[in-house]
Amino acid sequence: MIRWILISILSIGLIGIGVWGYKEHQEKNAILIQAENSYQRSFHDLTFNLDLLHDKIGSTLAMNTRRQLSPQLAEIWRLTSMAHSDVGQLPLTLLPFNKTEEFLSQMGDFSYRTAVRDLDTEPLTEEEVDTLSSLYEMSGDIEQELRKVQNMVLNENLRWMDVQLALVNNDEPADNTIIDGFETVEKTVEGYTEGKLNASILGTSSDKDGFNMLGDQVISQEEAEETMRTVLGLEENTALDLSKTGDGANVPLFSGSFQENNRSGYIDLTQQGGYPLSFMINREVKESKISLHQAMQTAEDYLENSVFSSDFSVIESNQYDHVGVFQFVPRDGEVWIYPDAIQVKVALDTNEVIGFIAKDYLENYHERQIPEAAISEAEAEEAVNPNLRVEDHHLAIIEDDLGEEVLSYVFLGTLDSDTYKIFIGADDGEELRIDKLKQAEIKY
């Protein structure tokens, strides 16, 4: 009798495990199908948008009416933005595709810059027309290569999930047609950018290549571990898992992670120069015991004692639950340098720095020749909405819509219960942009 009872219980258990396993399998398949559909949609949208882009550039070259030229260039900018978004939704993070993304970004910048200017008083130059012709030829070649890939994907029922798994596992997939196709596109773009495109017309001839401040001195793995332990405040007996990026990385890094007691965290350190790019300490942050102002002082002291030697000013401070988040920018005399921002996070229970991001500073910092303001502060303030009450102001270097650095007056003003930053060009008094500052979030 007992034997049959045990057999029955085991049978029920096996049936239950089988049903559970089947449901898990079904759910996993549903997620994979959803991801595959998303990848397929993004890929076919990318191909469609590049088809349209090629046609629109061709139509622009054939136009003779400036009244129609600006909307057409604006449409090219919109299509490049959509194509760039489509690329970002494909599993290509481990596949070198930066040249194609850079091309789309450059084409968008060129078309936007040209579309917003007055083409009646400043028509397209011969160099710009030649650049458009090169972009037309280039987009046509990209379009053809992507169509070849699209045709094989449809005819052979290729799956993007296989590509993703192959890239993640660094394996050779059974059919790498998609990877080969995108590598061909990348080589096609690279050939154009090296020989046929006018970088100065595209607005990409900047002397600021990014991360120039890192220098050439490469630190050892032992030096990296010592720096990481100091920055994270780790005890000697705490294990630190250390790794480094592979060859060809845009910014070679040492990465470290740890787990001790009730906290864990990670840190990224540049191999060149040994600068902390970012770190985060994860732990339970309890009830606040210090004010946001005290935490800001802690963040300022932390920067003063760090490897970043600039004089910093805070441009934004926010509180999320029991964590203070502060945005700092360096000063060059009286001018604040907004592109070189650093973010510091402070726990409001123990006044401990638990987060740090210096990517913008390390990428953008360089010696600048800051121009003199062509208009006075009073003249710039005349461009501010008179309904705003100006509370503070300063000069700053900011990036405009095209990513170019410009000198501006920054006015901090209030309107009703909201606070705004108004940026006025220091050379012409034009309103460059307005940022609404965040308020404390309501907890529901």
Side-chain angles (χ1 to χ4, degrees), residues 5 30 43 59 82 102 123 144 172 177-178 192 212 239 241 266 283 309 314 337 345 350 385 389 404 424 438 443:
I5 293 174
F43 171 63
S59 300
M82 293 176 66
E102 184 181 355
Q144 288 183 7
E172 287 295 328
T177 302
I178 294 178
Y192 273 94
N212 287 334
D241 294 326
Y266 74 87
R283 66 169 176 82
S309 57
V314 65
I337 314 298
K345 297 182 180 181
T350 62
N385 186 329
R389 179 181 175 182
E404 296 178 352
I424 306 296
K438 297 178 182 177
K443 294 187 69 175

Short mmCIF file of all heavy atoms in Angstrom, two decimals, residues 5 30 43 59 82 102 123 144 172 177-178 192 212 239 241 266 283 309 314 337 345 350 385 389 404 424 438 443:
data_model
loop_
_atom_site.label_atom_id
_atom_site.label_comp_id
_atom_site.label_asym_id
_atom_site.label_seq_id
_atom_site.Cartn_x
_atom_site.Cartn_y
_atom_site.Cartn_z
N ILE A 5 1.36 4.33 -2.78
CA ILE A 5 1.23 5.76 -2.42
C ILE A 5 2.46 6.54 -2.87
O ILE A 5 2.37 7.63 -3.45
CB ILE A 5 1.02 5.91 -0.90
CG1 ILE A 5 -0.33 5.33 -0.48
CG2 ILE A 5 1.12 7.39 -0.49
CD1 ILE A 5 -0.57 5.29 1.02
N ALA A 30 8.29 32.35 -26.30
CA ALA A 30 7.54 33.57 -26.57
C ALA A 30 8.44 34.79 -26.50
O ALA A 30 8.35 35.71 -27.33
CB ALA A 30 6.38 33.71 -25.57
N PHE A 43 15.49 45.82 -38.63
CA PHE A 43 16.33 45.62 -39.81
C PHE A 43 15.61 46.05 -41.09
O PHE A 43 16.17 46.76 -41.93
CB PHE A 43 16.76 44.16 -39.91
CG PHE A 43 17.44 43.81 -41.20
CD1 PHE A 43 18.65 44.41 -41.54
CD2 PHE A 43 16.88 42.91 -42.09
CE1 PHE A 43 19.27 44.11 -42.75
CE2 PHE A 43 17.50 42.60 -43.28
CZ PHE A 43 18.70 43.20 -43.61
N SER A 59 16.77 63.50 -55.12
CA SER A 59 15.81 64.56 -55.44
C SER A 59 16.37 65.93 -55.10
O SER A 59 16.14 66.91 -55.82
CB SER A 59 14.50 64.33 -54.68
OG SER A 59 13.93 63.09 -55.02
N MET A 82 16.04 58.41 -38.05
CA MET A 82 15.30 57.14 -37.94
C MET A 82 16.20 55.95 -38.24
O MET A 82 16.15 54.92 -37.55
CB MET A 82 14.11 57.18 -38.90
CG MET A 82 13.03 58.19 -38.52
SD MET A 82 11.68 58.29 -39.73
CE MET A 82 10.96 56.66 -39.57
N GLU A 102 28.61 56.54 -37.57
CA GLU A 102 29.22 57.87 -37.68
C GLU A 102 28.78 58.55 -38.97
O GLU A 102 28.51 59.76 -38.99
CB GLU A 102 30.74 57.73 -37.63
CG GLU A 102 31.48 59.06 -37.65
CD GLU A 102 32.98 58.88 -37.63
OE1 GLU A 102 33.45 57.74 -37.52
OE2 GLU A 102 33.68 59.90 -37.74
N PRO A 123 23.18 80.41 -50.24
CA PRO A 123 22.84 79.17 -50.95
C PRO A 123 23.94 78.12 -50.82
O PRO A 123 25.03 78.39 -50.32
CB PRO A 123 22.70 79.63 -52.41
CG PRO A 123 23.53 80.86 -52.50
CD PRO A 123 23.45 81.52 -51.16
N GLN A 144 22.30 49.11 -51.61
CA GLN A 144 22.44 47.86 -52.35
C GLN A 144 22.94 46.72 -51.47
O GLN A 144 22.43 45.59 -51.55
CB GLN A 144 23.40 48.07 -53.52
CG GLN A 144 22.82 48.91 -54.65
CD GLN A 144 23.79 49.03 -55.82
OE1 GLN A 144 24.83 48.38 -55.84
NE2 GLN A 144 23.45 49.86 -56.79
N GLU A 172 31.42 31.00 -34.27
CA GLU A 172 31.08 31.15 -35.68
C GLU A 172 29.69 30.55 -35.89
O GLU A 172 29.48 29.37 -35.67
CB GLU A 172 32.09 30.39 -36.56
CG GLU A 172 33.44 31.07 -36.64
CD GLU A 172 33.38 32.42 -37.33
OE1 GLU A 172 32.54 32.58 -38.24
OE2 GLU A 172 34.15 33.32 -36.97
N THR A 177 25.71 34.97 -42.75
CA THR A 177 25.39 35.87 -43.86
C THR A 177 25.11 37.28 -43.36
O THR A 177 25.56 38.26 -43.96
CB THR A 177 24.16 35.34 -44.62
OG1 THR A 177 24.43 34.02 -45.09
CG2 THR A 177 23.83 36.24 -45.80
N ILE A 178 24.38 37.39 -42.27
CA ILE A 178 24.02 38.72 -41.75
C ILE A 178 25.28 39.45 -41.29
O ILE A 178 25.49 40.63 -41.61
CB ILE A 178 23.00 38.59 -40.61
CG1 ILE A 178 21.67 38.04 -41.14
CG2 ILE A 178 22.77 39.95 -39.95
CD1 ILE A 178 20.61 37.84 -40.09
N TYR A 192 34.67 55.21 -48.20
CA TYR A 192 34.23 56.56 -48.55
C TYR A 192 34.79 57.60 -47.59
O TYR A 192 35.27 58.65 -48.01
CB TYR A 192 32.71 56.63 -48.53
CG TYR A 192 32.08 56.24 -49.85
CD1 TYR A 192 31.66 54.93 -50.07
CD2 TYR A 192 31.91 57.17 -50.86
CE1 TYR A 192 31.08 54.56 -51.27
CE2 TYR A 192 31.33 56.81 -52.06
CZ TYR A 192 30.91 55.50 -52.27
OH TYR A 192 30.35 55.14 -53.47
N ASN A 212 41.56 62.84 -25.36
CA ASN A 212 42.95 63.24 -25.61
C ASN A 212 43.72 63.43 -24.31
O ASN A 212 44.95 63.31 -24.29
CB ASN A 212 43.00 64.54 -26.42
CG ASN A 212 42.61 64.31 -27.87
OD1 ASN A 212 42.77 63.22 -28.39
ND2 ASN A 212 42.09 65.33 -28.52
N ALA A 239 37.78 40.39 -2.12
CA ALA A 239 38.16 39.94 -3.46
C ALA A 239 37.69 40.96 -4.50
O ALA A 239 36.57 41.47 -4.43
CB ALA A 239 37.53 38.58 -3.75
N ASP A 241 37.37 41.24 -8.58
CA ASP A 241 37.47 40.57 -9.89
C ASP A 241 37.87 41.61 -10.93
O ASP A 241 37.16 42.61 -11.13
CB ASP A 241 36.13 39.93 -10.28
CG ASP A 241 35.77 38.79 -9.34
OD1 ASP A 241 36.69 38.10 -8.87
OD2 ASP A 241 34.57 38.61 -9.07
N TYR A 266 30.99 48.10 -8.86
CA TYR A 266 31.88 47.95 -10.01
C TYR A 266 32.62 49.26 -10.23
O TYR A 266 32.23 50.31 -9.73
CB TYR A 266 31.08 47.59 -11.28
CG TYR A 266 30.31 48.76 -11.85
CD1 TYR A 266 30.91 49.63 -12.76
CD2 TYR A 266 28.99 49.01 -11.47
CE1 TYR A 266 30.22 50.72 -13.27
CE2 TYR A 266 28.31 50.09 -11.97
CZ TYR A 266 28.92 50.94 -12.88
OH TYR A 266 28.24 52.02 -13.38
N ARG A 283 24.20 49.31 -2.33
CA ARG A 283 23.84 48.87 -0.97
C ARG A 283 22.51 49.50 -0.61
O ARG A 283 22.01 50.40 -1.30
CB ARG A 283 24.92 49.28 0.03
CG ARG A 283 25.05 50.79 0.24
CD ARG A 283 25.94 51.09 1.42
NE ARG A 283 26.20 52.51 1.62
CZ ARG A 283 25.37 53.35 2.24
NH1 ARG A 283 24.19 52.91 2.70
NH2 ARG A 283 25.69 54.61 2.40
N SER A 309 41.90 67.97 -11.42
CA SER A 309 42.46 69.13 -10.74
C SER A 309 41.72 70.44 -11.01
O SER A 309 42.11 71.48 -10.51
CB SER A 309 43.93 69.30 -11.16
OG SER A 309 44.04 69.41 -12.57
N VAL A 314 28.85 73.50 -9.19
CA VAL A 314 27.70 72.63 -9.35
C VAL A 314 26.67 73.31 -10.24
O VAL A 314 26.37 74.50 -10.07
CB VAL A 314 27.09 72.26 -7.97
CG1 VAL A 314 26.52 73.47 -7.26
CG2 VAL A 314 26.01 71.18 -8.14
N ILE A 337 32.51 75.38 -18.09
CA ILE A 337 32.67 74.51 -19.26
C ILE A 337 31.67 73.35 -19.16
O ILE A 337 31.95 72.31 -18.56
CB ILE A 337 34.11 73.97 -19.36
CG1 ILE A 337 35.14 75.10 -19.15
CG2 ILE A 337 34.33 73.30 -20.71
CD1 ILE A 337 35.07 76.21 -20.16
N LYS A 345 27.38 60.91 -6.86
CA LYS A 345 26.22 60.49 -6.08
C LYS A 345 26.65 60.27 -4.63
O LYS A 345 27.67 59.62 -4.37
CB LYS A 345 25.61 59.20 -6.64
CG LYS A 345 25.07 59.35 -8.06
CD LYS A 345 24.45 58.05 -8.54
CE LYS A 345 23.91 58.20 -9.97
NZ LYS A 345 23.28 56.96 -10.46
N THR A 350 24.83 58.01 5.29
CA THR A 350 26.17 57.99 5.86
C THR A 350 27.10 59.03 5.26
O THR A 350 28.27 59.10 5.64
CB THR A 350 26.81 56.60 5.66
OG1 THR A 350 26.91 56.35 4.25
CG2 THR A 350 25.97 55.51 6.32
N ASN A 385 12.98 86.15 -21.62
CA ASN A 385 11.55 86.44 -21.44
C ASN A 385 11.36 87.33 -20.22
O ASN A 385 11.78 86.97 -19.11
CB ASN A 385 10.80 85.11 -21.26
CG ASN A 385 9.30 85.29 -21.22
OD1 ASN A 385 8.79 86.32 -20.78
ND2 ASN A 385 8.58 84.27 -21.67
N ARG A 389 11.90 85.73 -13.70
CA ARG A 389 12.66 86.47 -12.70
C ARG A 389 14.07 85.88 -12.65
O ARG A 389 14.26 84.74 -12.22
CB ARG A 389 11.99 86.36 -11.33
CG ARG A 389 12.76 87.09 -10.23
CD ARG A 389 12.05 86.92 -8.90
NE ARG A 389 12.82 87.51 -7.81
CZ ARG A 389 12.45 87.47 -6.53
NH1 ARG A 389 11.31 86.87 -6.19
NH2 ARG A 389 13.20 88.03 -5.60
N GLU A 404 28.63 71.71 -31.67
CA GLU A 404 29.73 72.67 -31.72
C GLU A 404 29.73 73.53 -30.46
O GLU A 404 28.67 73.92 -29.97
CB GLU A 404 29.62 73.55 -32.96
CG GLU A 404 29.75 72.78 -34.27
CD GLU A 404 29.59 73.68 -35.48
OE1 GLU A 404 29.22 74.86 -35.30
OE2 GLU A 404 29.84 73.20 -36.59
N ILE A 424 21.84 82.22 -23.81
CA ILE A 424 21.84 83.29 -24.81
C ILE A 424 23.22 83.39 -25.43
O ILE A 424 24.22 83.51 -24.71
CB ILE A 424 21.45 84.65 -24.18
CG1 ILE A 424 20.12 84.54 -23.42
CG2 ILE A 424 21.40 85.73 -25.25
CD1 ILE A 424 18.93 84.22 -24.29
N LYS A 438 14.79 70.07 -13.00
CA LYS A 438 13.93 69.09 -12.34
C LYS A 438 13.57 69.55 -10.95
O LYS A 438 14.34 70.22 -10.26
CB LYS A 438 14.65 67.74 -12.26
CG LYS A 438 14.96 67.12 -13.61
CD LYS A 438 15.71 65.82 -13.43
CE LYS A 438 16.07 65.21 -14.78
NZ LYS A 438 16.88 63.97 -14.63
N LYS A 443 6.53 61.07 -4.36
CA LYS A 443 6.41 59.63 -4.14
C LYS A 443 4.94 59.25 -4.00
O LYS A 443 4.23 59.79 -3.19
CB LYS A 443 7.18 59.22 -2.86
CG LYS A 443 8.69 59.41 -2.98
CD LYS A 443 9.41 58.85 -1.78
CE LYS A 443 9.33 57.34 -1.77
NZ LYS A 443 10.14 56.75 -0.69
#
